[in-house]
């Protein structure tokens, strides 16, 4: 397996692209920028399965020329948004381990930040293997075990003596993300291998300082608000009222990139894996 490290300029170009979709949600534009930059190294052609498709807007941003795409999502409401987007030929409401498509019917599977949420990962990977044509590939982004280890907000609260609050926040954060598989890189590779898939390429994303700041931002954004909802419901209109925010946050992002000194140890990863031909 080959490992490729990101360049700061590429990640900033990723931010320039994704901030058009998420101009006032900094945790989302921050994480998605890294993924987008990594995906620019690849081209998906032919018939594509988008596993955990969501509303299709991010897929369209990354792969604007893809025309033969099928989406799968567990949520009926989200699937309707995907259908309405015009990105997909069809969108199935189904669990990822039971895709209602024939064997060996896809050239590529795309799984953006979805595999780590799957409760039965082995069954999901087996289904991906079934759906792929021989020689087909899966391009995916996942989180690693660092996602849990580098969670900054609970550590700060624990250091201040608020142990119970820290534990509650960490549990709420992990529950919100339904993080079923925060695996190490080696564990991800083993899971692919057990499914008969071959890991060809690996791009680490979000090294330590970017990860820690992102985890704190996202943790604060999703804090439960008294009376319902989350803190982000209050923050979003505040940020959206400032037209300068996206460009200003880009400078913060650039500063975080300058802080990094180890671009291989990361809380996220993009993998290209293949089904042997």
């Amino acid at each position: 397996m080959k490992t490729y490290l990101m360049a700061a300029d590429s990640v900033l170009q990723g931010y320039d692209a994704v901030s058009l979709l998420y101009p006032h949600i900094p945790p989302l534009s921050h994480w998605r920028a890294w993924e987008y930059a990594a995906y620019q190294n690849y081209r998906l052609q032919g018939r594509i399965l988008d596993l955990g498709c969501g509303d299709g807007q991010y897929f369209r941003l990354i792969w604007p020329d893809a025309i033969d795409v099928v989406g799968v999502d567990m949520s009926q409401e989200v699937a309707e948004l995907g259908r309405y987007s015009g990105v997909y030929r069809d969108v199935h409401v189904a669990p990822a381990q039971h895709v209602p498509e024939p064997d060996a019917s896809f050239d590529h599977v795309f799984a953006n930040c979805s595999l780590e949420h799957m409760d039965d990962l082995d069954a999901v990977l087996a289904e991906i293997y079934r759906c792929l044509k021989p020689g087909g590939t899966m391009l995916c982004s996942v989180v690693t075990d660092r996602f849990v280890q580098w969670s900054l907000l609970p550590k700060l609260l624990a250091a201040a003596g608020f142990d119970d609050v820290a534990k509650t926040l960490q549990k709420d954060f992990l529950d919100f993300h339904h993080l079923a598989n925060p695996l190490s890189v080696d564990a991800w590779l083993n899971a692919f291998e057990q499914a008969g898939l071959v890991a060809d390429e690996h791009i680490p994303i979000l090294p330590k300082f970017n990860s820690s700041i992102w985890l704190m931002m996202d943790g604060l954004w999703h804090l439960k608000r008294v009376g319902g909802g989350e803190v982000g419901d209050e923050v979003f209109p505040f940020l959206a009222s400032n037209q300068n925010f996206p460009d200003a946050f880009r400078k913060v992002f650039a500063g975080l990139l300058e802080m990094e000194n180890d671009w291989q140890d990361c809380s996220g990863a993009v993998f290209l894996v293949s089904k042997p031909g």
Side-chain angles (χ1 to χ4, degrees):
M1 181 186 68
K2 297 179 179 179
T3 295
Y4 301 97
L5 302 185
M6 298 295 297
D9 287 348
S10 296
V11 181
L12 283 175
Q13 289 169 12
Y15 176 79
D16 292 338
V18 301
S19 63
L20 299 176
L21 278 183
Y22 319 110
H24 303 104
I25 310 177
L28 196 51
S29 61
H30 188 169
W31 187 280
R32 289 276 193 262
W34 285 86
E35 293 171 329
Y36 181 95
Y39 294 146
Q40 295 312 293
N41 295 284
Y42 304 100
R43 292 292 177 266
L44 301 188
Q45 297 177 329
R47 194 162 189 255
I48 304 165
L49 175 66
D50 186 2
L51 201 63
C53 62
D55 63 10
Q57 299 307 314
Y58 189 54
F59 186 96
R60 174 185 279 128
L61 183 70
I62 306 166
W63 318 112
D65 298 325
I67 58 173
D68 192 1
V69 190
V70 174
V72 175
D73 205 283
M74 280 282 289
S75 166
Q76 178 70 51
E77 182 179 356
V78 171
E80 285 301 321
L81 293 174
R83 292 186 183 110
Y84 181 76
S85 72
V87 170
Y88 305 104
R89 288 190 182 273
D90 196 5
V91 179
H92 301 298
V93 179
Q97 63 268 36
H98 297 295
V99 178
E101 290 283 339
D103 294 355
S105 55
F106 291 96
D107 298 286
H108 304 284
V109 172
F110 179 61
N112 182 74
C113 248
S114 59
L115 295 180
E116 63 264 29
H117 309 303
M118 306 291 186
D119 290 317
D120 194 347
L121 180 63
D122 291 342
V124 172
L125 292 176
E127 185 72 343
I128 290 168
Y129 181 94
R130 182 190 70 79
C131 288
L132 279 173
K133 298 176 182 178
T137 68
M138 174 178 68
L139 183 63
C140 64
S141 68
V142 297
V143 305
T144 74
D145 51 342
R146 294 299 198 189
F147 191 94
V148 177
Q149 296 166 8
W150 288 343
S151 190
L152 187 56
L153 185 58
K155 289 181 179 179
L156 294 176
L157 288 168
F162 300 103
D163 291 339
D164 291 342
V165 176
K167 291 176 182 176
T168 298
L169 284 181
Q170 182 73 331
K171 182 181 183 302
D172 288 348
F173 181 71
L174 297 179
D175 287 349
F176 172 81
H177 285 285
H178 192 73
L179 196 60
N181 306 297
L183 306 180
S184 68
V185 170
D186 286 343
W188 279 112
L189 296 177
N190 182 65
F192 298 144
E193 182 180 359
Q194 292 300 310
L197 298 164
V198 178
D200 299 314
E201 297 180 7
H202 164 225
I203 302 177
I205 59 173
L206 280 95
K208 187 171 186 177
F209 290 99
N210 272 257
S211 291
S212 297
I213 296 301
W214 182 88
L215 285 161
M216 185 164 64
M217 283 195 301
D218 199 60
L220 288 169
W221 193 276
H222 295 301
L223 275 178
K224 294 179 181 178
R225 188 176 59 171
V226 175
E230 55 189 27
V231 169
D233 298 333
E234 296 287 340
V235 178
F236 177 80
F238 173 73
L239 298 180
S241 68
N242 188 331
Q243 64 181 357
N244 298 325
F245 177 78
D247 288 340
F249 184 71
R250 186 185 193 274
K251 297 174 183 176
V252 175
F253 197 174
L256 288 173
L257 294 173
E258 290 180 9
M259 294 172 65
E260 300 296 352
N261 50 32
D262 181 352
W263 290 65
Q264 186 153 345
D265 190 9
C266 291
S267 67
V270 167
F271 290 106
L272 180 70
V273 303
S274 60
K275 178 177 178 177

